[in-house]
Amino acid sequence: SALTQVAVAATYVAVFVPAVHRGGLEGELSTKVSRTYLALLALGAIGQLVGVLVGCLARNVTAAQLLVPPIVVPAFMCAGYFFQLNDLSKGIQYLIWPFWFVSYLRYAFTILVVTEFRSGKFVVCSPTSDHNYCPFNSYSDEPWHGVDRDVVITDYLDIPQGTVFPYYYLVLLGFVAGLYALVYAAVALKTLRED
């Protein structure tokens, strides 16, 4: 299954990253391909290890199916797809905070978003024109000025760009190592119980 994960991630990156590449600096495409590929490999390994861990902890297939949502849904909810931590009220932030930092999907999502949008520049657009699309209200009233900052990363997602590379990769590797240790312990415990 590890070879399948490598092949699927390589196929995805080879087809879709160049297809959506917005241009930019020289050599940026190769950097984008490698960063996306490494993030997808780490995410695939984490997904497989979570599946094996749930399979080891469950008594049967039905129990395994019931264990997956309480593990995966908080990871999705706190991944940054639906909301940012600062968007919530203070009372809710205290409840979400542990899940926010334990969500492995948040780290992979952040890597992928910063990889895609870090050198973005939106051209001048006017919300009143029929021919222009202004992503995230990034228009300028001045006719010859584009938006030099990336509103996706800085305004809407509030991602600390200086901490993403290589630290978020190290966090994902930490998840892989920690889950591997848990899976090893669960398999050893299950083997001892069966003997």
Side-chain angles (χ1 to χ4, degrees):
S1 76
L3 291 175
T4 303
Q5 182 62 38
V6 169
V8 168
T11 304
Y12 176 85
V13 169
V15 172
F16 290 110
V17 172
V20 299
H21 180 60
R22 299 184 300 159
L25 304 173
E26 186 70 30
E28 185 181 359
L29 180 60
S30 62
T31 302
K32 188 182 286 188
V33 165
S34 62
R35 287 180 174 176
T36 304
Y37 186 63
L38 289 174
L40 291 177
L41 282 180
L43 193 59
I46 291 169
Q48 288 177 351
L49 288 169
V50 166
V52 171
L53 183 63
V54 167
C56 287
L57 296 177
R59 294 177 189 247
N60 55 36
V61 174
T62 305
Q65 291 171 344
L66 292 174
L67 277 174
V68 170
I71 294 170
V72 175
V73 169
F76 273 109
M77 291 298 295
C78 298
Y81 305 126
F82 304 112
F83 58 85
Q84 293 297 306
L85 192 61
N86 294 332
D87 294 342
L88 304 173
S89 66
K90 292 292 181 192
I92 300 295
Q93 282 183 8
Y94 294 121
L95 295 173
I96 298 294
W97 188 82
F99 297 109
W100 185 258
F101 288 99
V102 179
S103 174
Y104 54 89
L105 293 171
R106 181 177 77 90
Y107 297 101
F109 173 68
T110 302
I111 288 171
L112 296 175
V113 167
V114 171
T115 298
E116 180 61 33
F117 292 109
R118 70 183 173 88
S119 64
K121 177 180 178 181
F122 293 113
V123 297
V124 176
C125 61
S126 170
T128 58
S129 173
D130 293 336
H131 303 290
N132 290 323
Y133 172 67
C134 299
F136 299 106
N137 296 322
S138 61
Y139 61 89
S140 173
D141 292 331
E142 300 175 25
W144 301 104
H145 292 92
V147 178
D148 288 329
R149 61 191 172 80
D150 200 326
V151 294
V152 175
I153 294 174
T154 56
D155 292 355
Y156 285 89
L157 295 180
D158 193 27
I159 293 173
Q161 293 185 59
T163 61
V164 174
F165 305 112
Y167 302 113
Y168 279 26
Y169 285 113
L170 297 176
V171 171
L172 287 176
L173 288 176
F175 274 111
V176 170
L179 284 168
Y180 186 78
L182 286 173
V183 165
Y184 182 80
V187 168
L189 185 64
K190 192 166 187 142
T191 304
L192 287 174
R193 284 185 180 171
E194 291 177 359
D195 286 346

